[in-house]
Amino acid sequence: MGKIIKTPYINFDIDIITVDDMPNQTFKEIYELCGKEVAISLLQNYAGCQIQVPARAFYNLRQRLLKSEFDGTTESIRYLARKYGFTEYRVREALK
């Protein structure tokens, strides 16, 4: 017997939950990508809320990496552009 999920309407064992029990396609994908526990936790803790996933989720990380690897030279800008798949212009903009 696994963890018991308690809701206002029913209590049930987490082990009996399948992907088909998810309320919609998004949660079926979350279940498959992240696991049953993550999908259930989101349903329990964020029911009724809207969650947006940023398109530029790793923007801050990119900025930090570029700044930490930049050595002040034009060659460094070229190297970083090739390494991260950016244009030299974008690297310069990120370093401002």
Side-chain angles (χ1 to χ4, degrees):
M1 188 164 167
K3 180 180 173 186
I4 301 297
I5 302 294
K6 296 181 179 185
T7 71
Y9 308 106
I10 187 173
N11 298 335
F12 51 87
D13 186 336
I14 193 172
D15 292 337
I16 67 167
I17 298 173
T18 69
V19 70
D20 294 325
D21 296 319
M22 294 293 103
N24 58 38
Q25 187 59 38
T26 299
F27 272 92
K28 288 179 183 183
E29 291 174 17
I30 290 170
Y31 182 105
E32 291 172 348
L33 290 171
C34 303
K36 178 191 305 192
E37 290 79 13
V38 171
I40 291 169
S41 182
L42 287 170
L43 288 168
Q44 286 181 301
N45 294 293
Y46 294 98
C49 297
Q50 290 184 354
I51 299 173
Q52 293 184 335
V53 179
R56 295 173 32 174
F58 299 107
Y59 177 81
N60 292 338
L61 174 62
R62 180 189 78 172
Q63 297 297 98
R64 184 169 51 88
L65 290 173
L66 289 173
K67 288 177 182 177
S68 71
E69 295 181 39
F70 180 59
D71 66 8
T73 65
T74 302
E75 291 80 19
S76 178
I77 289 174
R78 288 187 191 121
Y79 169 77
L80 292 170
R82 282 192 308 273
K83 180 177 179 179
Y84 291 108
F86 301 129
T87 64
E88 290 180 27
Y89 173 80
R90 289 285 176 218
V91 171
R92 284 187 182 90
E93 286 295 308
L95 292 170
K96 285 185 181 178

